[in-house]
Amino acid sequence: MTSMMDILTVLLLFLLKSFVVEAEVITPAAGVQLPESTSRQDPPETVVIAINDEQVTVGDHVVAPVGIGNGDSLLIPALAAHLRTLQDQSRSLASRRGESAPIAGRITIQGDRDMPFQLLQRVMYTCNQSGYDDISLAVIQTS
Amino acid sequence: MAKGRKRGYRQLVEADLDIMPLMNLFVVLIPMLLLSAVFVELSVIDMNLPPADARAENPPPQSLDLSVTIDRARYVVKAQRLAPRIIERADAETADQELTTLLAGIVQQHPGTEDIAIVAQGDTPYQDVITLMDISREAGLPSISLAGDTAR
């Protein structure tokens, strides 16, 4: 009995330690298989765009369904509109708080690893046009 | 344990620690922590795009204009004053290794080169582009720009 207590105590302490240290800032979106990379930069806490087979999601909000990869224009209108709304919201929030600093415009893109490049290009272009210049691509660390 | 002693001393009772409630706590806490434990570490690749209203700058005249075009079958490395090099992608690992060596060689011969442009096809998988960015970073080209190949 006491030996089982020992096991559980050690396990508990180990998990608590790793739980506290990690404090994962962004969670991988469902349905998205992130690509692997050797990058070691920490993920920042930002707006997150998740692109999977079916749709584009900003935060929890589904913005555009499948089929946005087609067409000639680089801009995705639904996504651009939503991002601009977000920008306005954060700007008004900052002004209400009394901060006058320009909004950094940071955004993280979580894309499925088999996603076509064209879709990535359109999403990045749309983000850029909507005021989000600082784009981070979420990846899984690998050696 | 003489008869006379029993009245003088309080009887020492062996206290039995009741650990069942503690075990209950562990049984609940450990699975919860295990479920939230991180086995996959996330990181990011930062890309800095120029602001939407900036106009494209002309590259400085000395720059190499290094670019890697990626499609299903090959990598094509082009630069300003060098002959284009083609690396077949039949075997992924060797191709990546060759490309890293080639790019590192170019960086060594032209010190100060930091920029590379990755030109990808519309249907190039995202993972391939990310791998190419890793290769460029390893070869000493931290400043990467992405371009789409709209010529085809």
Side-chain angles (χ1 to χ4, degrees):
Chain A
M1 199 51 162
T2 41
S3 38
M4 188 146 86
M5 284 289 300
D6 290 339
I7 298 174
L8 287 180
T9 310
V10 171
L11 200 56
L12 181 68
L13 290 176
F14 168 75
L15 287 173
L16 273 173
K17 175 195 79 73
S18 66
F19 192 71
V20 165
V21 165
E22 281 299 334
E24 200 51 47
V25 169
I26 54 172
T27 47
V32 174
Q33 178 88 332
L34 292 175
E36 294 181 353
S37 165
T38 54
S39 168
R40 290 276 178 269
Q41 283 174 292
D42 294 323
E45 189 164 341
T46 63
V47 182
V48 171
I49 294 185
I51 311 171
N52 63 17
D53 291 339
E54 305 294 317
Q55 62 215 6
V56 176
T57 311
V58 180
D60 297 324
H61 185 115
V62 175
V63 167
V66 75
I68 51 170
N70 311 323
D72 288 329
S73 103
L74 273 181
L75 195 69
I76 304 171
L79 181 62
H82 190 86
L83 287 178
R84 249 185 232 119
T85 318
L86 277 180
Q87 271 280 44
D88 294 336
Q89 279 175 3
S90 61
R91 218 171 264 147
S92 68
L93 194 63
S95 68
R96 255 186 277 148
R97 278 200 208 133
E99 296 164 6
S100 58
I103 313 299
R106 307 202 63 177
I107 198 166
T108 304
I109 296 182
Q110 292 185 9
D112 191 274
R113 62 177 66 178
D114 298 321
M115 168 176 80
F117 177 69
Q118 194 186 39
L119 187 49
L120 174 71
Q121 204 183 8
R122 281 166 201 260
V123 172
M124 284 176 74
Y125 179 79
T126 308
C127 292
N128 199 6
Q129 294 298 317
S130 312
Y132 286 94
D133 309 330
D134 196 347
I135 299 182
S136 304
L137 304 174
V139 295
I140 294 179
Q141 272 188 30
T142 181
S143 50
Chain B
M1 292 253 224
K3 222 180 176 185
R5 281 196 183 177
K6 255 192 190 172
R7 280 188 217 136
Y9 293 86
R10 267 175 284 151
Q11 233 177 354
L12 288 173
V13 175
E14 218 180 277
D16 222 351
L17 209 59
D18 188 8
I19 51 174
M20 280 309 290
L22 191 58
M23 288 287 297
N24 291 338
L25 179 69
F26 280 179
V27 161
V28 171
L29 209 53
I30 299 252
M32 191 185 81
L33 286 176
L34 268 174
L35 284 174
S36 59
V38 175
F39 296 112
V40 162
E41 277 196 41
L42 288 188
S43 55
V44 293
I45 298 178
D46 269 336
M47 310 219 57
N48 279 327
L49 303 180
D53 49 1
R55 277 169 300 142
E57 301 169 352
N58 290 328
Q62 265 83 356
S63 97
L64 260 190
D65 262 350
L66 191 55
S67 77
V68 176
T69 306
I70 173 174
D71 66 28
R72 221 172 287 276
R74 61 179 70 86
Y75 294 126
V76 183
V77 180
K78 295 190 202 139
Q80 195 66 278
R81 293 181 290 279
L82 305 172
R85 292 279 309 267
I86 301 184
I87 298 177
E88 298 296 326
R89 283 183 71 197
D91 180 6
E93 281 196 24
T94 9
D96 290 350
Q97 203 50 41
E98 269 187 56
L99 185 61
T100 315
T101 326
L102 176 62
L103 289 176
I106 293 179
V107 169
Q108 220 174 15
Q109 286 167 2
H110 301 86
T113 311
E114 275 186 5
D115 310 323
I116 185 169
I118 294 179
V119 181
Q121 312 305 312
D123 58 357
T124 307
Y126 185 34
Q127 175 70 65
D128 289 355
V129 177
I130 297 282
T131 311
L132 199 46
M133 288 168 77
D134 283 350
I135 292 175
S136 311
R137 248 199 335 270
E138 262 175 67
L141 298 158
S143 172
I144 303 170
S145 53
L146 293 178
D149 194 351
T150 47
R152 301 190 188 208

